[in-house]
Amino acid sequence: MLPLVLSSSWRRIIYRGAPLVSPCSPVLFSPPEVMRSSPRSRTSVEQRDPTQLRILTNMAFWQSDTWTSSTRSIYPVENRCDPRFVSPILEAVRLFRRRREFDVVLTMGPRTSLYYGIMCAVAGVESRQIMCEVFLAPPRRHPSWRIKTALYRLAARRSLGILTNSSLEVESVIRRCGISRERVTYVPMHTNIRRPHLEERDEEFVLSAGRTWRDYPLLLEALRRLSVPAVIICGRRDLCRISVPDNVTVLREVNRDLYLDFLGRCRLVALPLLPVERATGQVVVLEAMALGKPVVATRVSGTVDLVVDARTGYLVPPGDAAALAAAIGSLAGAPGQAAEMGRRALERVLAEFTIEKHARRKLDAIMGLYRRRRAAPSRASA
């Protein structure tokens, strides 16, 4: 753990004697004496009816009426489309400037969460922060990783709590951020398919897609053992120096419409992921399930909460090419079994992973963390 000191006189964060924020540097917010909430305003927040919780966020979750009617975003959501997003530092500044009007500030994204939390720490004010998607990069010995981890711990300890996208992330967040279990809540992801339905098209090929922490070399090794055609939709730099077998087509940086067309036509989705603490692959898994496609994936943080093994797809051990090939082959050559698993996957999405279900769960989780803070307010400002 790095020596991290918060100076009470200058409100500086100091690492090994070198100030990261100098008192002579230009600041993005007013001095702590001006911005700190008065005891009167703080009391009014504590005594407010919790059913009327005021939530400020940088999320632009316009797809959910439940969410937009219960929160206030720094982005316009009334247009029902994705806005033009600003940089994480500007998001943090906007949240910081408006924080006193709200009971909770929900920060989405690791950088925005970190910047906002550190702004509040430097200014010496209560953050009222609930963090989503915290820093869970693999450990490294590089000083930058150690500094970032120390800063995240500082922001997390001053926050109301953290929301995770995977049940397996809970223990990692507790250990990495140094907070208690009651301040970490798992909220399942949602599908981005607004109207989940059973896609009737069924062509005999396997689809794999995405960029973050994908183990495409493992997938290619598995596909070399099979004759089934496969399409991989990946990033510009993926699979550039790897020999690709003849039964595999690689497409890079395709638009969403083309990706959804392939997703609707494929027989199954294969998603090999690296065994990291951070949950990845959930977007593709849930979109496939929402169109009635079975998923074959490695058993990691991003898949264990979504895929029911041998019912909506298969989960195989990370790094096991033989097991991955066997699972893919069993569904690629059995359209009836694949279709049945796909129907179960769609039923699971409709029951557990719709947009409105996610919105209600997230609002309930925010309320739970806020109430625990009211019961022990010192934990949020320690």
Side-chain angles (χ1 to χ4, degrees), residues 55 59 61 64-71 163 185-190 349-368:
I55 304 171
M59 289 181 62
F61 193 20
S64 168
D65 293 333
T66 300
W67 182 261
T68 55
S69 64
S70 304
T71 64
L163 303 180
T185 303
Y186 159 56
V187 179
M189 283 277 287
H190 63 86
V349 166
L350 292 172
E352 298 292 336
F353 304 118
T354 62
I355 289 173
E356 291 300 327
K357 183 85 170 182
H358 173 81
R360 290 191 293 270
R361 281 173 168 165
K362 182 162 283 188
L363 290 170
D364 289 344
I366 292 170
M367 179 63 74

Side-chain angles (χ1 to χ4, degrees), residues 69-85:
S69 64
S70 304
T71 64
R72 179 67 60 86
S73 176
I74 62 173
Y75 293 106
V77 295
E78 60 274 5
N79 296 330
R80 298 289 177 175
C81 62
D82 288 335
R84 178 174 295 181
F85 294 100

Side-chain angles (χ1 to χ4, degrees), residues 119-187:
M119 284 181 185
C120 293
V122 171
V125 298
E126 183 184 19
S127 70
R128 305 175 186 175
Q129 180 182 18
I130 293 179
M131 307 167 71
C132 296
E133 296 187 9
V134 297
F135 172 66
L136 284 179
R140 296 188 301 164
R141 293 185 177 182
H142 196 277
S144 64
W145 183 90
R146 299 175 62 193
I147 294 172
K148 186 179 292 186
T149 300
L151 294 177
Y152 263 104
R153 289 174 71 92
L154 173 64
R157 288 175 175 177
R158 301 183 82 255
S159 72
L160 302 180
I162 296 175
L163 303 180
T164 72
N165 293 328
S166 168
S167 61
L168 293 185
E169 280 187 334
V170 172
E171 292 298 330
S172 300
V173 168
I174 291 171
R175 182 177 63 256
R176 189 75 67 89
C177 296
I179 59 178
S180 62
R181 179 180 296 274
E182 65 181 10
R183 293 174 62 189
V184 183
T185 303
Y186 159 56
V187 179

